[in-house]
């Protein structure tokens, strides 16, 4: 589908990858771009329409859906990193991460699918991670692995209704979330461009960097071999 004249909504659209996605959609001629954030006052991209949306609050999600009505491309980008240990971490932290990274996109998708259908179909983009496939992020990896699986299930359920689902996998991105990481990083702008290329080409998966491509290739290997290679 063409981004030109589409109506795009990006959760977490006030910073990082989300802000880059908002800017890229506008640059490609989207008719309207909603930048959703808990505090809409933090949305600073010229031309974007700020929307109050807390993905962990079903009531907030319903209000955002009721206040739009014309969305054709939904991007579930909002997320947090906690990375709690499953053995020693606070289970409240694990639950909080799942509420944002897994249940949040599910709440948003359920609220906006009727809108996409009413507008003739469209596409959903879910922001996964290279850590969907490599469990180095502990609870974070688990949330993204769950979202990856959910995206596959949603794709099968929604395809007959004319809605596609694209999953984005990427390693380290040059954003605040990865500021303390000393490793090669891809720019948010590059990620955003690849996402919208995939949407316009009706592709179901984006592997945005060498890290995500390597993580996917490693899935065919025995787990002991995979993690020995990572540790080495």
């Amino acid at each position: 589908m063409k981004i030109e004249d589409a109506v795009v909504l990006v959760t977490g659209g006030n910073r990082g990858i989300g802000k880059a996605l908002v800017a890229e959609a506008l640059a490609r001629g989207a008719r309207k771009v909603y930048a959703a954030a808990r505090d809409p006052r933090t949305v600073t991209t010229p031309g974007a329409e700020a929307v109050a949306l807390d993905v962990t609050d079903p009531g907030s999600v319903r209000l955002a859906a009721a206040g739009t009505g014309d969305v054709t491309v939904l991007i579930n980008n909002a997320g947090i990193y906690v990375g709690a240990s499953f053995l020693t971490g606070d289970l409240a932290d694990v639950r909080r991460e799942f509420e944002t990274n897994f249940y949040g996109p599910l709440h948003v998708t359920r609220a906006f699918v009727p809108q996409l259908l009413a507008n003739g179909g469209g596409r959903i983009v879910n922001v996964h991670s290279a850590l969907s496939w490599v469990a180095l992020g502990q609870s974070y990896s688990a949330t993204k692995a769950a979202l990856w699986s959910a995206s596959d299930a949603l794709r099968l359920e929604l395809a007959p209704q004319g809605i596609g689902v694209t999953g984005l996998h990427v390693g380290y991105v040059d954003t605040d979330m990865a500021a303390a990481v000393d490793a090669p990083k891809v720019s948010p702008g590059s990620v955003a461009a690849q996402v919208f290329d995939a949407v316009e080409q009706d592709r179901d998966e984006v592997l945005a960097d060498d890290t995500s491509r390597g993580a996917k290739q490693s899935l065919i290997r025995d787990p002991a071999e995979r993690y020995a290679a990572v540790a080495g």
Side-chain angles (χ1 to χ4, degrees):
M1 66 179 294
K2 290 292 185 182
I3 298 303
E4 186 177 5
D5 293 329
V7 177
V8 181
L9 185 142
V10 182
T11 68
N14 57 329
R15 62 192 182 94
I17 296 174
K19 187 173 184 177
L21 288 163
V22 169
E24 183 68 18
L26 289 166
R28 295 194 184 210
R31 177 161 53 90
K32 186 186 296 183
V33 181
Y34 295 108
R38 287 183 177 179
D39 182 353
R41 295 172 297 182
T42 62
V43 174
T44 59
T45 304
E49 186 167 326
V51 174
L53 195 161
D54 178 351
V55 302
T56 66
D57 180 351
S60 172
V61 174
R62 286 193 296 270
L63 284 173
T68 51
D70 49 357
V71 173
T72 58
V73 178
L74 170 66
I75 303 182
N76 286 308
N77 163 74
I80 60 172
Y81 180 88
V82 176
S85 166
F86 285 123
L87 291 178
T88 61
D90 190 333
L91 283 178
D93 286 337
V94 176
R95 291 191 178 98
R96 178 165 61 91
E97 202 163 27
F98 267 92
E99 285 295 334
T100 302
N101 295 354
F102 177 75
Y103 289 106
L106 184 57
H107 286 312
V108 174
T109 297
R110 289 165 66 101
F112 278 86
V113 158
Q115 191 171 142
L116 269 65
L117 290 173
N119 293 315
R123 185 158 287 267
I124 297 167
V125 178
N126 287 335
V127 176
H128 306 153
S129 170
L131 294 180
S132 304
W133 296 323
V134 183
L136 298 180
Q138 298 176 311
S139 59
Y140 178 83
S141 292
T143 66
K144 292 299 187 176
L147 182 58
W148 169 49
S149 182
S151 294
D152 284 350
L154 285 166
R155 187 177 300 115
L156 295 173
E157 190 169 351
L158 291 171
Q161 302 178 68
I163 297 176
V165 178
T166 297
L168 164 65
H169 294 267
V170 65
Y172 295 120
V173 184
D174 192 11
T175 64
D176 292 344
M177 183 181 286
V181 177
D182 183 15
K185 300 172 188 176
V186 64
S187 72
S190 172
V191 174
Q194 292 182 69
V195 166
F196 284 115
D197 284 348
V199 171
E200 293 194 316
Q201 296 163 15
D202 295 322
R203 288 192 282 116
D204 293 337
E205 187 170 75
V206 179
L207 304 177
D209 59 0
D210 288 341
T211 300
S212 57
R213 288 185 283 272
K216 184 175 183 181
Q217 290 173 355
S218 76
L219 290 173
I220 64 173
R221 301 165 69 180
D222 179 87
E225 183 183 1
R226 290 179 69 217
Y227 285 100
V230 169

